[in-house]
Amino acid sequence: MSIKKSQKQSCHPFSLLFSEAFLKGLDMRALLGHIPAGKGQSPKTYNRGLPHQNEQECFMDLKGKGSNCERLIPASEMKEVPHPPYQDSVPVQLPDGDWLDLPLLPLPPDFDTAIAFLCSNQTTFEVEDRLTTEMAKLAKQWDPEVVIGMPTLGMVYAPIVARKLGHERYVPLGYSRKFWYEDELSVPVTSITSPTVPKQVYIDPKLLERLDGKRVILVEDVISTGGTLSAELKLVEKLGIELVGIVVANRETNVWIDRLGAIDPKWPSLVKSPIRYPLYRKTPEGWVPDMSTMPPE
């Protein structure tokens, strides 16, 4: 491909530079710092309009913000769980005996209580694969025909669990209201990480036929206070779906048990997960588990 210029047309060196960069597939951002001189001119530096001339000072410092990273520890490297108090992270045992070291996340308003934080859309693919494999094993006891995934992080696991169960697709819920959605097919929801900002969760009415007469399970990333799952259960109740079980990646604390039990006494015993852990309380020496909040096996 070639670009021809009319003899009468005058082309600024800046335009020629970008045309050449486009054709060669170059990163045009890298060319902004220096613009070649026109005939009879001295080389010029292009002013980006930024407050600093040093290029490294023009960008945000991406370090020192902390991390939500988890770490897999083989069972052979840690025969038993270290004794508390813990400092920045806590080990949680996986069903196969390996350990998942999770960062501790202090909770507002006083930040004296913390959870072991599994940020589901930031884990390694290996952790995601191992958790969803265990979740699919737990789900098989109910012989489900359809998997419903709860936004946002439940939808990290739901399609993978559905695929590992041999399903062709799953049913996603969503927070974004499309113009053809119906308000009666939605419920408000809050969660432990966004307790003051209630959202509305919807199901696409065009997905209802996938649920008709089917054995259904809910897949979620975590259950803590039970706020999110309570909303899902109310939506399921509205729809008259045959819900046979609930699988989450992790159960945090036991606060959710009474909340789900108030909807139906059967629900707490139907919530399964590969990992579980209690709340952690702050002490002068570090964080210690509050075993009174440990969810049941």
Side-chain angles (χ1 to χ4, degrees), residues 144-162:
E145 298 170 281
V146 181
V147 170
I148 293 180
M150 182 70 179
T152 300
L153 297 183
M155 289 162 64
V156 171
Y157 300 117
I160 304 174
V161 171

Side-chain angles (χ1 to χ4, degrees), residues 34-220:
H34 180 75
I35 306 303
K39 187 177 289 186
Q41 297 175 326
S42 59
K44 311 185 239 187
T45 298
Y46 176 65
N47 183 357
R48 296 183 178 90
L50 294 172
H52 305 291
Q53 291 303 313
N54 183 338
E55 184 168 338
Q56 290 188 352
E57 294 177 354
C58 297
F59 300 96
M60 179 184 291
D61 180 9
L62 301 182
K63 297 180 180 179
K65 303 294 184 183
S67 170
N68 291 328
C69 289
E70 78 296 333
R71 184 168 62 98
L72 274 170
I73 304 174
S76 59
E77 295 181 13
M78 190 164 72
K79 300 295 185 181
E80 58 183 31
V81 63
H83 295 293
Y86 305 109
Q87 300 307 313
D88 300 316
S89 64
V90 60
V92 177
Q93 194 163 33
L94 295 167
D96 63 6
D98 287 349
W99 298 87
L100 194 57
D101 193 54
L102 297 176
L104 285 162
L105 177 67
L107 301 174
D110 55 16
F111 299 97
D112 288 334
T113 301
I115 56 173
F117 189 47
L118 176 68
C119 195
S120 298
N121 62 350
Q122 298 178 21
T123 65
T124 64
F125 294 134
E126 181 182 1
V127 169
E128 179 184 84
D129 181 63
R130 291 175 70 165
L131 287 174
T132 51
T133 295
E134 296 298 334
M135 291 166 75
K137 288 179 183 177
L138 291 167
K140 284 180 180 178
Q141 64 186 290
W142 298 302
D143 193 24
E145 298 170 281
V146 181
V147 170
I148 293 180
M150 182 70 179
T152 300
L153 297 183
M155 289 162 64
V156 171
Y157 300 117
I160 304 174
V161 171
R163 189 165 62 246
K164 289 183 177 184
L165 288 170
H167 299 179
E168 292 184 351
R169 60 188 75 198
Y170 82 114
V171 171
L173 304 183
Y175 291 131
S176 175
R177 190 192 191 285
K178 311 304 181 186
F179 70 86
W180 65 89
Y181 283 14
E182 301 171 13
D183 288 337
E184 57 268 30
L185 298 179
S186 70
V187 290
V189 59
T190 57
S191 68
I192 192 172
T193 49
S194 56
T196 61
V197 187
K199 295 172 281 190
Q200 201 77 5
V201 64
Y202 298 87
I203 185 169
D204 187 333
K206 298 182 183 299
L207 294 178
L208 295 179
E209 64 179 12
R210 296 187 191 178
L211 304 171
D212 188 33
K214 303 294 186 181
R215 295 171 57 81
V216 177
I217 62 168
L218 294 175
V219 169
E220 179 62 290

Side-chain angles (χ1 to χ4, degrees), residues 188-196 198 223-234 237 246 252-269 271:
V189 59
T190 57
S191 68
I192 192 172
T193 49
S194 56
T196 61
I223 184 168
S224 301
T225 63
T228 305
L229 268 172
S230 294
E232 288 181 286
L233 292 175
K234 289 172 184 175
E237 196 174 68
I246 302 165
E252 291 175 348
T253 83
N254 54 17
V255 177
W256 52 271
I257 293 177
D258 289 342
R259 194 166 190 173
L260 265 60
I263 299 173
D264 192 315
K266 70 179 180 181
W267 289 127
S269 64
V271 179

